[in-house]
Amino acid sequence: MKLYFKYGAMNSGKTMEILRTAHNYEENGYKVLIVKPFCDTKGNDFIVSRVGVSRHVDYLLKQNELLSDVIKQNHPTVILVDESQFLSKEQIDDLWLITKNLDIDVFCYGLRTNFRLEGFPGAIRLFELADKIEEITTLCRCGKKANANLRLVDGVPTFDGDEVAIDGFLNVTYIPVCSNCYIDYYNKAKEQKMVRKKIF
C-alpha cells in the first residue's frame, strides 16, 4: 500500500478532492477514516470546502499522537488526512509505516509552504517519504498557476506573524498567488515598511 501526498495552494480544491475520494471508496464498500490535525480549528470537527460542502471528521489527531495507536483495534480500508502540513515529522513517519505494516492506503492533502514560502515540517517529510506525489493546481488572479499562499490581515498582505493562523480567525484570510505576484506584493509591503522579517 502507498502513502500519497496531494498538495496545492489555498483554494485549489483539496477538500473537494477528499470528499470525492471518500465518496468513491464508500460507494464501493470500503471503510474510510477521515482525519485532520487537532490544531486546525476551522470547521471544528468538520472539513469544510470553500464552496460550502462539508463532512464530519472521524478523528482529530492531537499533537504528538500517533494514528497507528488509534486504529489498532479497528482498521479502516483507507485513510484520508486533511491539512497534513500541520502534522509532525514523527506523525508522517507513522502514516508511512501504517501503509507498509498494516496494508492501508493513506492519502494526505495539504500545503507545501506557509505564507513566507517556508516548508511546513509535515509537508517536507511527505516530500521525502510519499510513494506518490501529485500537485492540485489553481490559478492566481493574474491567470498564472498559483504556487504560493498570500496571507491577508484585514485585507492587507502581510509577511510577518506566527506560522499558523487559521483562515477566518482574527480577520486572517489567504489567497493563492503565483511567484511573480507574490514578489510584487512583498516588494510593495517592503517599500511601505510593512515587513519586519526579510524573506528575500
Side-chain angles (χ1 to χ4, degrees), residues 22-172:
H23 176 75
N24 286 345
Y25 271 100
E26 288 171 339
E27 280 286 290
N28 288 285
Y30 293 99
K31 182 180 178 182
V32 174
L33 181 73
I34 296 182
V35 178
K36 78 171 185 176
F38 189 82
C39 68
D40 178 29
T41 56
K42 182 180 180 180
N44 297 314
D45 56 351
F46 282 80
I47 56 170
V48 182
S49 79
R50 292 175 184 271
V51 299
V53 183
S54 64
R55 174 169 169 156
H56 190 265
V57 173
D58 298 305
Y59 196 79
L60 295 171
L61 194 63
K62 300 177 184 66
Q63 185 179 14
N64 300 323
E65 184 179 31
L66 299 180
L67 191 62
S68 59
D69 293 332
V70 176
I71 63 171
K72 278 180 180 177
Q73 304 301 323
N74 198 4
H75 291 184
T77 310
V78 62
I79 298 170
L80 308 177
V81 184
D82 193 24
E83 304 294 355
S84 58
Q85 73 274 0
F86 293 142
L87 298 181
S88 68
K89 172 187 176 297
E90 290 74 21
Q91 288 173 319
I92 299 299
D93 289 350
D94 183 56
L95 294 178
W96 182 74
L97 288 170
I98 286 173
T99 68
K100 310 311 173 197
N101 295 335
L102 301 180
D103 290 329
I104 301 172
D105 278 326
V106 178
F107 293 80
C108 291
Y109 300 80
L111 303 174
R112 179 179 61 172
T113 58
N114 64 22
F115 73 106
R116 291 191 297 264
L117 301 181
E118 300 165 337
F120 286 99
I124 291 171
R125 191 59 174 159
L126 279 163
F127 277 113
E128 294 169 340
L129 286 185
D131 299 293
K132 187 171 182 180
I133 298 169
E134 177 185 335
E135 183 178 14
I136 302 173
T137 60
T138 191
L139 294 177
C140 176
R141 292 177 177 179
C142 73
K144 295 179 183 177
K145 187 183 85 169
N147 53 11
N149 305 295
L150 184 69
R151 178 183 286 179
L152 307 176
V153 178
D154 291 322
V156 178
T158 182
F159 300 88
D160 296 305
D162 295 336
E163 179 177 57
V164 178
I166 302 299
D167 186 15
F169 180 70
L170 295 179
N171 301 319
V172 173

